[in-house]
Amino acid sequence: MNIVNPRQNRVVILGGGVIGMCSAYYALRRGFQVTVIEREAAGGDNCSMGNAGMIVPSHFIPLAAPGMISKGLRWMFNPESPFYVRPRVNLDLARWGWLFYRSSTAKHVEETRELLRDLNLESRRLFAELSDEEDFGLEKRGMLMLCKTAKGLDEEAEVAKAAREIGLEAEVLDAGGAAEIDPDITMDVAGAVYFPQDCHLDPARFMASIRKRVAALGGEIVSGVEVDGFETKSGKVTALKAGARKFEGDEFIVAGGSWTPGLLEKAGICLPLQAGKGYSLTLPNPPELPGVCSIFVEAKVAITPMGRSLRFAGTMEVGGLDLSINPSRVRGIVKSVHAYFPKFSETDFEGVKPWAGLRPVSPDGIPYLGRAPKLANLTVASGHAMMGLSLGPVTGSLVVDLLANERPFRSITQMAVERFA
């Protein structure tokens, strides 16, 4: 590992979520001077805070996969379904939809599954390394894909078979086998697939930990700042403009989540990306507390124990930069719970305030990571969709490999920023 000369390598990172903070941490570890600029107030409730907190080597199939278009069309007419695209006249949305359609092929899954496997496994290793230094609630207990129906179990068994083909651990279980993995929760399921390499944590604890590390290493975090644009010269960014303020640097990283396309547009760069809104509800005193995180397969709801509380998260609502709460989508999550966990009822969720966050979704389900076109010192790290938390550390480490001109642990050409140009 090369340690750079910090006096000649000032890095400005736009975005204070998990991707931006992990990039800041690894940059500081490599000797860069770092300033992080975030839209929210200090420690704000961004998309990195209220998610399901899962680290998912099991998620090696990209969002753009065969069958997603037909499923999406069926779900469009159900206000409580896991997926919804708000109809609106928008050229960026139309282009994103066309690219998503083109990417939803078996060939695309075949070509990208090892990339997603490698990224998640390396990120898991880095989480474990970080956890050894300071505890933030990392639990290495695996994850259960809970199937209500025999049909759902058959489909997940095919995913398990594909996982084993690429060297991941996966076990198909009947209902009794699932209960043995997690005896602390009463389930009503046909069976499950167990992915022992998956992990979970409390994302708020992790974000507090990584922010503290950034500050301890001398990183500057500037909160509550809206960036107006970029100053450029000779094919490079020289500064970020925010009202009367300027943030000068040698390297610039845009890790703005769902706001990334708008930020890049100020630099004349078009990035196909849509915001996918997700919701979560956290029960402080659940009737039962599982020891393993899980996903309701048919309902597309994720469940994560976090200390004594239990979080339920789900839905993908594509509707722009809108954080308003859609009660129908929340109701869909709540109504699914009793079917899988019969000791729970809808009344358990009374008075629980739903949280909403915007996930940045690329058209092919693969994150963007690499140098931006046109501007040699601008790096983009976005488009992680539901895997932002899971891929936080590995993305931060790879960003710094790019800054230091070092070879990454594996090729990331499939994540190129200009791949849809």
Side-chain angles (χ1 to χ4, degrees):
M1 180 177 72
N2 295 327
I3 302 297
V4 300
N5 182 347
R7 289 173 295 180
Q8 298 176 358
N9 291 275
R10 300 164 300 165
V11 178
V12 179
I13 300 174
L14 193 46
V18 65
I19 303 299
M21 284 298 169
C22 285
S23 298
Y25 171 73
Y26 287 108
L28 288 160
R29 287 276 303 268
R30 301 276 274 273
F32 289 93
Q33 290 183 333
V34 175
T35 298
V36 180
I37 305 170
E38 55 184 354
R39 295 174 60 255
E40 296 89 0
D45 190 18
N46 59 40
C47 194
S48 301
M49 305 293 282
N51 62 70
M54 293 181 176
I55 301 156
V56 284
S58 62
H59 285 36
F60 61 92
I61 297 176
L63 186 62
M68 277 303 300
I69 298 294
S70 58
K71 282 183 182 178
L73 290 173
R74 290 198 303 272
W75 285 330
M76 281 286 289
F77 301 99
N78 178 1
E80 297 178 359
S81 71
F83 181 79
Y84 179 69
V85 178
R86 183 188 302 167
R88 62 194 193 278
V89 179
N90 183 289
L91 291 178
D92 290 336
L93 175 61
R95 183 178 181 230
W96 181 90
W98 170 245
L99 292 169
F100 186 93
Y101 168 76
R102 289 183 57 187
S103 299
S104 298
T105 66
K107 182 174 183 287
H108 175 60
V109 173
E110 180 75 20
E111 291 175 344
T112 58
R113 63 182 188 171
E114 293 183 5
L115 169 68
L116 293 177
R117 173 202 64 191
D118 292 348
L119 292 174
N120 276 294
L121 286 174
E122 176 64 5
S123 215
R124 182 189 190 277
R125 185 189 70 79
L126 292 170
F127 271 116
E129 192 176 83
L130 290 167
S131 180
D132 289 342
E133 298 170 4
E134 180 183 55
D135 176 41
F136 45 80
L138 179 67
E139 298 286 352
K140 305 175 189 175
R141 299 185 183 182
M143 189 262 286
L144 285 167
M145 299 293 293
L146 298 176
C147 304
K148 183 69 180 172
T149 66
K151 180 176 182 291
L153 184 58
D154 288 343
E155 292 175 352
E156 283 304 307
E158 289 300 311
V159 176
K161 179 182 176 182
R164 291 192 293 268
E165 288 174 357
I166 59 172
L168 292 171
E169 299 174 35
E171 184 179 357
V172 181
L173 306 168
D174 60 15
E180 289 180 11
I181 295 292
D182 196 352
D184 296 328
I185 186 75
T186 305
M187 309 178 202
D188 184 2
V189 296
V193 171
Y194 178 53
F195 289 97
Q197 291 162 295
D198 284 20
C199 309
H200 69 270
L201 51 78
D202 182 336
R205 283 184 66 185
F206 176 72
M207 288 302 297
S209 173
I210 201 73
R211 288 178 71 93
K212 185 171 76 171
R213 295 170 201 241
V214 168
L217 289 170
E220 180 186 17
I221 303 173
V222 184
S223 305
V225 172
E226 191 81 40
V227 169
D228 301 322
F230 298 80
E231 283 192 357
T232 63
K233 182 179 180 181
S234 303
K236 287 189 174 183
V237 179
T238 57
L240 294 180
K241 298 182 292 183
R245 304 177 69 178
K246 284 186 183 180
F247 297 90
E248 296 180 340
D250 302 297
E251 293 280 356
F252 295 82
I253 301 164
V254 176
S258 295
W259 283 263
T260 298
L263 295 167
L264 292 178
E265 189 176 343
K266 301 176 190 297
I269 298 168
C270 178
L271 189 76
L273 185 147
Q274 289 291 313
K277 182 161 55 179
Y279 300 95
S280 71
L281 301 106
T282 304
L283 297 183
N285 298 293
E288 292 183 323
L289 185 66
V292 177
C293 64
S294 59
I295 292 178
F296 297 159
V297 168
E298 294 85 355
K300 309 299 181 191
V301 172
I303 305 91
T304 310
M306 298 180 182
R308 295 302 307 164
S309 65
L310 188 61
R311 178 165 295 169
F312 296 82
T315 79
M316 174 66 76
E317 184 179 337
V318 180
L321 299 176
D322 172 18
L323 280 166
S324 64
I325 302 294
N326 183 332
S328 295
R329 300 289 156 195
V330 176
R331 191 161 54 247
I333 295 173
V334 172
K335 287 174 68 173
S336 73
V337 177
H338 177 74
Y340 294 81
F341 291 172
K343 293 293 181 71
F344 288 70
S345 69
E346 293 185 30
T347 58
D348 293 323
F349 293 87
E350 290 178 359
V352 176
K353 184 179 179 181
W355 173 93
L358 299 177
R359 315 179 191 98
V361 185
S362 70
D364 59 358
I366 303 300
Y368 294 108
L369 179 55
R371 295 292 193 178
K374 303 178 184 178
L375 295 168
N377 63 338
L378 181 64
T379 298
V380 178
S382 188
H384 294 72
M386 292 88 72
M387 293 184 288
L389 187 280
S390 184
L391 297 179
V394 71
T395 300
S397 181
L398 287 168
V399 163
V400 183
D401 286 338
L402 292 173
L403 301 187
N405 293 313
E406 291 190 356
R407 179 175 293 184
F409 78 99
R410 61 105 70 217
S411 171
I412 58 170
T413 56
Q414 291 166 294
M415 305 167 75
V417 176
E418 70 277 10
R419 63 184 183 266
F420 296 113

